Amino acid sequence: MHDPDTPVRPLEFTRLDPDVMASHARELFERMRSRRSVRDFSTDPVPRALIEAALATAHTAPSGANRQPWHFVAVSDPTVKAAIREAAEAEEREFYEGGRAPDEWLEALAPLGTGPSKPHLTDAPWLVVVFKEVHGVAADGSKITNYYVNESVGIACGLFIAAVHWMGLATLTHTPQPMRFLNRILDRPTHERPYILFPVGFPAADCRVPAIAKKPLDDVVTWVG
Ligand SMILES: Cc1cc2nc3c(=O)[nH]c(=O)nc-3n(C[C@H](O)[C@H](O)[C@H](O)COP(=O)(O)O)c2cc1C
């Protein structure tokens, strides 16, 4: 089971009372079901410590062969945020108005009311840019293979979204395509690829969200046994 050369230690695990388990399950679901993608942010500041806590939570994620193939850049500098907005809006104009998006994709986005203007990129007090590391780099400069990079970084992002929501903040999973401009603006190496751009902050007082719903659970779950 374990490589005898790999040190192990006892798992820290407390078996909870069944009632406590049920109440934790309910509480988390009730909290998470109120999460929405927010596209209108207040400019109110958010302490750096909260962003750090959300990043620490994301960094607890499992990853293929424990490679932890992610890098997070947390931006609050208004000049850098403005540069990101300008570059993202140029890409989004190509997407929405320049013919880059297939009609079918534009039709799928129509109910969300999204478009090329991205004020959240300067309104939100923080932009957290998640990079996926397509390979690692050893001290001697040689490549280290990473495994299940997309799955690993996706799980870390899910934990980040949950942490942000749990602490009473809002975010948006933003993926302007292509996102290579983020390497240039944030001075990240080419073996890191932008994965998701998360504005984080409080929703604007007049924030509206699309009136959409999740599919019924029965449509997406099959029980066996
Ligand atoms: C991988 C991924 C990429 C997304 N990219 C964008 C995006 O670029 N812009 C945007 O406005 N919303 C984006 N979204 C948000 C989705 O539109 C949103 O999650 C979906 O409509 C469901 O709404 P909810 O998050 O409020 O439940 C993205 C979501 C995911 C998971």
Side-chain angles (χ1 to χ4, degrees), residues 35-39 92 96 109 112 114 118 120 172-176 196 209-210 212 214:
R35 181 210 56 80
R36 291 302 311 272
S37 289
V38 162
R39 298 177 179 84
E92 298 277 15
Y96 284 96
L109 290 173
L112 306 179
T114 54
K118 303 294 172 190
H120 57 260
L172 169 69
T173 310
H174 190 188
T175 48
I196 290 175
V209 291
I212 52 175
K214 301 298 175 198

Side-chain angles (χ1 to χ4, degrees), residues 64-87:
N66 196 30
R67 289 288 201 258
Q68 304 159 61
W70 43 68
H71 188 86
F72 306 103
V73 181
V75 181
S76 63
D77 182 322
T79 313
V80 178
K81 286 196 297 173
I84 290 175
R85 177 176 175 183
E86 196 185 332

